[in-house]
Amino acid sequence: MILIFLFLPFVCSAQDYTQEPTLKLLTADFFGPRYPASDSDIRLSVEGGADVKVPDMGDLEIANGLPEQQLILHAGGRVVYDIPISDSNGKVDTDLIYVTIKPGKKDPPPLMDNPFTDKANITLLASAGNGGTPVEVTCGVPNTDYSSYASEYCILSIEQIVDELTDTLVVTVTVPVEEKRDAVLWQVQLSSLDDSKRIRGTFGDEARARFRQTQEVADFNTWLTLVSCVGKTGVGKSTVASLLSGNDTMFVAHSSSHGTTTIGADVSTVIPALNYKQTIDSALDVQVDEPTGNRPLFLIDSEGMKFRGDEVDFVTTGPVAIIANIIIWITEGRMRPPDILEELRHYLKGLDRISLGEGSSQEKDYGKFVVVLNKMQDSDQNYSDEQLCSNLLAWGQSDEDDATIAELKMRFKSISCIGFPLVHLEENENFGYGVIKRYPRFTKGLTKLSNMLIDESSFPHDVKIGNDVLEMNSTNAETIIGLLIDGANKGTIDLTDPCNVIYSLYKEQVLQEIEKLDAEILEATTGMCDHKEKTCSKCVCEYRNSAVEFTANKLFATVTAGITEADTLCVDKPQVKDEIATLIDEMITPWQDANMCLGVTRSRKSEENCDSSELQATFDAQPNKDLNIVCNVLHMCGTLTLHNSETMLSSKKIYISPGFQLVQNAPEKAADGADNHSESGNGENGKAGLSGKDITLQISDSLLTSSANLLYVNLHGGDGGNGGKGGNGKSAVPGINGKNGVNGNPGNNGHDGKDGLFYHPDHSNDARYCSEVLSWGGQHYGSVHECCREGHCCCFFDASIENGYMGYLATMEPNINTRCAHTHRYWQAVNLLMEFNTPCETANTNGGDGTNGEKGGKGTNGADGTDAIPATKGGNGGLGGAGGSAGSWTLKSNLAIDVVLKKLGGKGGVGGLAGIGGAGAEGGKKGLAGRGGKGGIGGSGGSAGACYKQKREFEARDNWHTSAGCHGFAGCSSNVHTVKDACSNFAVGTVHPEEVYHQGLAGKPGVNGTVGDPGVDGKPGKAAAKAPDGKAGTPGQNGKSVLLHL
């Protein structure tokens, strides 16, 4: 089989969502391009001016990518720019109808310490690059004006010359000769709006596809649950969103206190609710709530607020607030309610620009609102989350704060607070789950958020548009988000009147249908088209034109329906239906023209997609070979002819041209069976007519847009061959003599006897105290030692002093003063000699006897002689070959594809003559028996054991002293006597070597084993008789033919 993998689909099961990257949900940018006023490719000339470095660029200016150079024009100065106004296809962007000049910074600041004050008057002139009518305006503002916005300095409408534009727009800026001030120019800006502050949001194509793909998975084809993380730049939004996602690095923290170069909102991958629970449980070592289903969850990380201005904040957070089930508003540091409420007022100010569906009171129109106090200071750690909320939402702080609290409680379903403590990292430690698990409050807070997210996934989230309520589900998500971003781009999101959004709704339908087919065409035509020449392979070209025409007609009908609906609903707003009508000329027709195939060409050897017109060459070059063609997309048109090839056509998607035929040619007629001239050979059967080869078409996914669902299949079988004459039978083969038996193995040797045991004395009865040395008969030895003396009764001198003059007086006093007596302390060494005999089991000291050797193994029997192989009968005549059946057709697909199947069978062949049977033969002789094996050697006796005794000595010190009993008048008479003291200095003395006092006996050896028994002789084989003659062959049957409609 030849296996041709044009495409091998990647199949992934239980893919880990935490490894999927985030995408841009929306990006925010200006309503037109901006160009540096300083030297660049578009600046043609400059007179009376020079470029200088911009002084003191701020964080926001750097983040917004403003040039580091600006142009200073002196009085009478002039600069000319040639700005591109058309795309690569030469199409002019007619929406760009305003030219503005952004002022630069003066150094030093002229007035009010502001570098944008004291702007010079300038004249702004514009004309088409190829000549034409110029338009101009002279601009001037008060010298105290400090605005840095271009539209508030100088703005020129070029709407009246748009029709004259072809490729570039020439813009000239001059400073009047009489002007006393220098003009400082930073940027030349083009825009579709006359307000340079405004920002435009764009719904990212990848994000659109991500939401659209939820419709393709059964578990995800339901309502969506979204969580939005918002707050100022640098408060930890990306960190909290990542930790909440189950991947502590999911959202790369683009934001910082210095702003970012990319603005918008990021969205996570699709997070399956059941996988989410398992991931969070593992990451936090907790058990969060069990979801009620495996519904899709999304986390959104929005651009940091209060950094780029109100317009950016509104575009990046306004649409998200409407679609989010939960809004997590993040701040950091200390719990200061007035400061936090002031920041919340700024957020609510953006929501004031949103009006939800008709009749909406703005009460509870938004999801749950969670205030997260990140990086809590130690001073706030004693407050529970409930106490944090109580402090934040306490009435009576100020009228302004009370109004903010009231608005929060009115707009959101619920308000809760969660505190995350400030964490401390060890040296070289990375922040993540391993760190926060050291902080129980952090883990508890994340668990609360996770449970809140899981709980919200049990209920749909609705968006009110006019009188309608749209569920935020896999079907509606892309449309809802698209129209909300469109609304934000207008400066407000007004959903109260369907006339405000009906254009966006139909635009989304057109856009989504176009993008859906664009994605299909991209996948289906990869490697099959020359996009520059707009040519494709034959079947792909047919598919492309059919799909584009089909979709365009569908979209024309959609727009027509929209015009009719707008005409009915928006009687007082006729511009709505006119705007919907523009979708045909501005979107549908240009798209249709751009995607039509203009001619047929060879493909570019796609490794993914197949075209039947090009597969024909593959089948023609390899007749009779099995083929397995695997494609991503299979395009089938005209007729595809197979040359007796077992064929598997596998594809993810398929396009079937109307009238397409798949034909399997008949195999060649089968060969006749050969006559068999060898002894006992059957005549060869006539070859069966070859079955037509099977064809399998496997489609795993879907039909392409505009594909037919009917195809024609023709299958054929081959004719059978005639049978050959049978050969004569083969003579019987004599039997083979039986082999002699094998001699038996030697018997196993006996086991050695167990050695006798040795018994040694232990120390359980040793003396352990000095008192036992004295009381158990210890003997004093050595000299008696005196230790010290003491004075008693009425001694005048201190008897403990023994040296010097005072010692001499103390020594002499008892000899002179009869009322003074001295006592002395003494000690003498004592030795105790003990003898220990070990308790002895004398029987266990004897060695065990060795066991006897085992008997030798039995010799094996001699083998029987084999029977003679019987003679074969005379060979049968070969059978006539049956007519071949047509091959089978298999369609493996869940798609509704109809098939007209025609199967034609082949004719059968004639049978052959019989052969003669072979002669008989004798059987084989018997084999002789094997001899018995030798006996095993007896085991050795065990060695003898013994019992031991031992002498041990113990040392101690015997202590005593003399005592003087004082009595008589004033206790000054004495009576000296001896008193025993406690013994001391216990020690183990000499340990004498052990001595044997009982010797055990050695064991006896075992007896050697006897010789084994011999085997038995085998039996002779049987003789074979003559075989019968063969039979004549029969003719083959014809194959069947059928016509099926499947």
Side-chain angles (χ1 to χ4, degrees):
M1 175 179 288
I2 296 176
L3 191 61
I4 302 177
F5 281 99
L6 295 175
F7 174 74
L8 182 60
F10 174 73
V11 179
C12 180
S13 60
Q15 192 168 16
D16 182 5
Y17 76 85
T18 62
Q19 303 305 310
E20 293 294 316
T22 61
L23 297 176
K24 273 293 173 193
L25 173 64
L26 66 89
T27 56
D29 205 346
F30 301 105
F31 277 85
R34 302 187 169 204
Y35 303 95
S38 56
D39 188 27
S40 69
D41 292 340
I42 68 162
R43 194 169 78 178
L44 296 180
S45 63
V46 60
E47 301 171 10
D51 296 334
V52 298
K53 184 177 178 61
V54 178
D56 300 324
M57 287 187 67
D59 293 338
L60 178 58
E61 293 163 343
I62 295 173
N64 284 334
L66 285 170
E68 297 180 357
Q69 297 281 319
Q70 60 187 5
L71 172 63
I72 295 181
L73 273 184
H74 308 301
R78 179 175 180 271
V79 61
V80 181
Y81 303 95
D82 191 26
I83 301 175
I85 199 73
S86 62
D87 60 20
S88 58
N89 294 320
K91 182 180 178 182
V92 174
D93 189 346
T94 57
D95 289 335
L96 300 176
I97 59 175
Y98 294 100
V99 181
T100 58
I101 301 296
K102 180 176 178 61
K105 291 184 175 183
K106 292 190 173 184
D107 187 23
L111 299 171
M112 301 181 293
D113 198 30
N114 189 300
F116 293 106
T117 57
D118 204 27
K119 301 180 183 72
N121 295 335
I122 59 174
T123 297
L124 180 58
L125 182 144
S127 63
N130 59 345
T133 305
V135 290
E136 67 176 271
V137 66
T138 298
C139 303
V141 295
N143 61 352
T144 56
D145 179 87
Y146 55 83
S147 172
S148 63
Y149 292 110
S151 58
E152 295 178 2
Y153 177 35
C154 192
I155 182 168
L156 171 64
S157 171
I158 60 170
E159 187 170 11
Q160 67 188 76
I161 66 169
V162 164
D163 293 339
E164 300 178 11
L165 299 176
T166 55
D167 52 357
T168 63
L169 176 72
V170 177
V171 175
T172 304
V173 183
T174 58
V175 180
V177 175
E178 65 275 11
E179 177 61 66
K180 304 299 182 183
R181 299 164 295 186
D182 289 337
V184 185
L185 313 181
W186 204 344
Q187 280 185 323
V188 180
Q189 303 177 356
L190 301 185
S191 178
S192 58
L193 300 180
D194 60 358
D195 185 352
S196 61
K197 298 189 295 295
R198 290 279 300 282
I199 296 295
R200 175 171 56 193
T202 301
F203 191 3
D205 290 341
E206 290 183 327
R208 282 181 177 273
R210 177 161 287 180
F211 284 109
R212 197 180 305 140
Q213 287 164 2
T214 58
Q215 301 175 44
E216 301 172 7
V217 180
D219 282 349
F220 301 160
N221 193 17
T222 180
W223 63 74
L224 314 182
T225 303
L226 296 95
V227 176
S228 170
C229 294
V230 296
K232 292 196 306 182
T233 298
V235 296
K237 298 185 308 302
S238 298
T239 300
V240 172
S242 296
L243 292 171
L244 183 58
S245 74
N247 172 7
D248 53 18
T249 59
M250 177 173 283
F251 290 90
V252 177
H254 296 294
S255 58
S256 71
S257 60
H258 298 295
T260 64
T261 56
T262 302
I263 55 180
D266 296 328
V267 64
S268 68
T269 185
V270 181
I271 302 176
L274 295 177
N275 297 48
Y276 176 71
K277 171 188 163 48
Q278 296 169 355
T279 302
I280 290 295
D281 285 352
S282 175
L284 298 179
D285 292 335
V286 297
Q287 286 291 322
V288 298
D289 295 340
E290 188 74 29
T292 58
N294 199 29
R295 299 184 185 92
L297 315 177
F298 292 90
L299 295 174
I300 300 171
D301 177 21
S302 295
E303 170 72 14
M305 300 181 66
K306 295 190 71 175
F307 179 62
R308 295 184 185 271
D310 293 347
E311 296 302 320
V312 172
D313 291 350
F314 177 65
V315 169
T316 57
T317 64
V320 175
I322 298 172
I323 62 175
N325 299 66
I326 302 171
I327 298 171
I328 301 176
W329 190 88
I330 303 171
T331 186
E332 66 174 347
R334 297 290 306 277
M335 169 51 78
R336 297 185 179 92
D339 295 342
I340 295 176
L341 290 171
E342 181 181 357
E343 293 177 8
L344 288 172
R345 272 193 295 278
H346 178 79
Y347 179 69
L348 292 173
K349 181 181 176 182
L351 300 188
D352 288 340
R353 296 164 67 174
I354 299 173
S355 300
L356 298 179
E358 184 175 352
S360 173
S361 62
Q362 302 293 330
E363 291 188 9
K364 312 301 181 185
D365 281 335
Y366 297 92
K368 294 182 176 180
F369 194 80
V370 183
V371 177
V372 169
L373 180 58
N374 196 22
K375 306 175 189 176
M376 288 178 66
Q377 300 300 309
D378 293 340
S379 58
D380 291 327
Q381 292 294 323
N382 294 329
Y383 292 106
S384 67
D385 290 343
E386 292 72 20
Q387 288 171 325
L388 290 176
C389 251
S390 179
N391 291 343
L392 176 63
L393 303 178
W395 298 102
Q397 300 179 54
S398 71
D399 292 344
E400 189 176 29
D401 289 347
D402 285 351
T404 301
I405 295 169
E407 188 174 357
L408 286 168
K409 292 184 175 181
M410 177 192 72
R411 288 183 182 275
F412 299 100
K413 290 181 181 179
S414 66
I415 302 174
S416 55
C417 302
I418 293 177
F420 288 152
L422 179 66
V423 302
H424 303 282
L425 299 178
E426 304 293 338
E427 186 176 358
N428 297 324
E429 184 179 26
N430 294 322
F431 181 79
Y433 292 117
V435 173
I436 67 170
K437 284 191 284 190
R438 299 201 299 263
Y439 298 84
R441 180 159 191 168
F442 215 134
T443 303
K444 183 178 178 182
L446 281 175
T447 303
K448 283 184 181 180
L449 288 176
S450 298
N451 283 332
M452 191 179 298
L453 173 54
I454 290 172
D455 179 64
E456 279 297 299
S457 71
S458 300
F459 310 98
H461 182 71
D462 297 329
V463 176
K464 300 176 183 177
I465 301 176
N467 292 320
D468 297 327
V469 175
L470 296 184
E471 182 179 272
M472 188 63 186
N473 57 34
S474 58
T475 303
N476 296 332
E478 185 181 357
T479 298
I480 292 173
I481 296 172
L483 71 86
L484 292 177
I485 293 175
D486 271 358
N489 289 341
K490 296 175 183 177
T492 60
I493 301 175
D494 186 357
L495 306 181
T496 58
D497 183 352
C499 293
N500 293 331
V501 296
I502 190 171
Y503 166 76
S504 295
L505 285 170
Y506 279 96
K507 187 186 83 170
E508 279 297 319
Q509 291 183 51
V510 171
L511 182 62
Q512 290 173 33
E513 199 69 38
I514 285 176
E515 289 189 351
K516 180 180 177 182
L517 187 60
D518 281 347
E520 179 184 292
I521 289 175
L522 177 63
E523 178 185 14
T525 65
T526 297
M528 310 298 287
C529 296
D530 183 330
H531 296 290
K532 184 178 180 180
E533 299 296 329
K534 293 187 177 181
T535 58
C536 302
S537 59
K538 180 181 178 181
C539 298
V540 172
C541 190
E542 184 174 334
Y543 150 71
R544 186 164 191 152
N545 289 342
S546 174
V548 170
E549 184 176 358
F550 175 87
T551 302
N553 290 335
K554 180 179 177 181
L555 293 177
F556 292 147
T558 297
V559 172
T560 300
I563 294 171
T564 301
E565 183 178 7
D567 194 33
T568 302
L569 292 177
C570 310
V571 177
D572 58 340
K573 296 180 179 179
Q575 70 275 15
V576 175
K577 70 174 183 179
D578 294 339
E579 190 175 17
I580 295 174
T582 63
L583 294 173
I584 294 177
D585 291 335
E586 293 184 0
M587 293 183 67
I588 302 173
T589 301
W591 169 80
Q592 182 180 17
D593 293 342
N595 283 278
M596 294 297 285
C597 175
L598 302 182
V600 174
T601 186
R602 291 287 299 172
S603 71
R604 297 185 175 183
K605 297 182 179 179
S606 171
E607 296 181 358
E608 299 180 4
N609 300 322
C610 309
D611 184 317
S612 66
S613 67
E614 295 190 351
L615 287 176
Q616 187 64 65
T618 300
F619 293 122
D620 292 346
Q622 301 176 84
N624 305 314
K625 293 184 179 179
D626 296 345
L627 294 173
N628 188 354
I629 308 296
V630 184
C631 314
N632 180 42
V633 179
L634 174 59
H635 300 267
M636 307 179 82
C637 66
T639 299
L640 178 60
T641 301
L642 312 180
H643 302 287
N644 194 35
S645 297
E646 186 88 14
T647 304
M648 163 72 84
L649 294 170
S650 300
S651 183
K652 180 180 176 184
K653 298 179 181 180
I654 189 170
Y655 171 75
I656 304 171
S657 171
F660 170 73
Q661 291 190 73
L662 185 58
V663 177
Q664 179 75 278
N665 283 346
E668 294 181 0
K669 179 183 182 304
D672 293 340
D675 293 341
N676 195 326
H677 300 290
S678 63
E679 189 174 3
S680 75
N682 291 330
E684 186 179 18
N685 293 335
K687 299 298 181 183
L690 296 175
S691 295
K693 292 296 180 72
D694 300 337
I695 301 178
T696 299
L697 176 62
Q698 178 173 296
I699 309 300
S700 62
D701 193 334
S702 61
L703 291 168
L704 294 182
T705 300
S706 76
S707 171
N709 64 348
L710 172 66
L711 54 86
Y712 297 86
V713 179
N714 297 331
L715 307 175
H716 298 85
D719 294 341
N722 298 330
K725 177 183 178 300
N728 295 331
K730 182 179 180 181
S731 298
V733 178
I736 299 173
N737 296 334
K739 293 184 179 179
N740 295 333
V742 179
N743 296 334
N745 294 323
N748 293 329
N749 296 333
H751 297 291
D752 294 340
K754 184 179 180 182
D755 293 338
L757 301 179
F758 292 89
Y759 294 85
H760 297 276
D762 60 21
H763 294 270
S764 60
N765 294 320
D766 285 5
R768 287 174 174 77
Y769 309 101
C770 62
S771 59
E772 292 177 344
V773 175
L774 270 63
S775 63
W776 289 359
Q779 301 297 315
H780 290 79
Y781 67 93
S783 303
V784 175
H785 300 273
E786 181 179 355
C787 172
C788 48
R789 70 186 182 193
E790 297 175 357
H792 294 275
C793 303
C794 297
C795 296
F796 178 76
F797 298 103
D798 185 353
S800 63
I801 301 174
E802 299 185 9
N803 298 318
Y805 179 67
M806 294 304 293
Y808 172 75
L809 295 177
T811 300
M812 297 302 296
E813 185 176 11
N815 300 323
I816 300 172
N817 182 4
T818 59
R819 296 177 295 175
C820 175
H822 286 179
T823 63
H824 299 266
R825 295 190 178 276
Y826 304 93
W827 64 271
Q828 187 177 15
V830 180
N831 174 269
L832 174 63
L833 176 63
M834 300 182 71
E835 183 173 300
F836 300 90
N837 289 342
T838 308
C840 182
E841 297 288 340
T842 57
N844 292 339
T845 62
N846 297 329
D849 295 340
T851 62
N852 297 333
E854 296 181 358
K855 181 179 179 179
K858 180 179 179 179
T860 62
N861 298 334
D864 295 342
T866 63
D867 296 340
I869 297 175
T872 58
K873 69 182 183 66
N876 295 329
L879 303 176
S885 61
S888 65
W889 161 258
T890 304
L891 174 63
K892 296 181 179 180
S893 176
N894 293 325
L895 301 176
I897 298 177
D898 297 327
V899 178
V900 175
L901 177 62
K902 183 185 293 185
K903 301 177 71 172
L904 298 175
K907 298 177 181 179
V910 179
L913 300 175
I916 300 172
E922 296 293 327
K925 297 180 179 179
K926 70 178 181 180
L928 302 178
R931 297 190 298 275
K934 295 180 179 180
I937 300 172
S940 303
S943 61
C947 301
Y948 290 87
K949 63 182 179 178
Q950 185 181 39
K951 291 179 181 181
R952 302 186 194 119
E953 297 182 23
F954 304 92
E955 303 291 338
R957 182 179 289 182
D958 186 11
N959 300 312
W960 70 91
H961 71 271
T962 57
S963 176
C966 300
H967 55 87
F969 179 73
C972 291
S973 296
S974 62
N975 180 20
V976 178
H977 58 279
T978 301
V979 177
K980 278 288 188 179
D981 293 329
C983 61
S984 63
N985 292 68
F986 172 78
V988 177
T990 303
V991 178
H992 297 269
E994 294 183 349
E995 301 176 3
V996 176
Y997 73 87
H998 173 78
Q999 181 68 47
L1001 301 176
K1004 297 178 182 178
V1007 179
N1008 293 339
T1010 59
V1011 175
D1013 298 330
V1016 178
D1017 291 342
K1019 297 178 181 179
K1022 296 180 180 179
K1026 178 185 180 301
D1029 296 339
K1031 296 180 180 180
T1034 58
Q1037 294 183 344
N1038 295 331
K1040 294 182 179 180
S1041 298
V1042 294
L1043 177 64
L1044 301 173
H1045 294 267
L1046 306 177

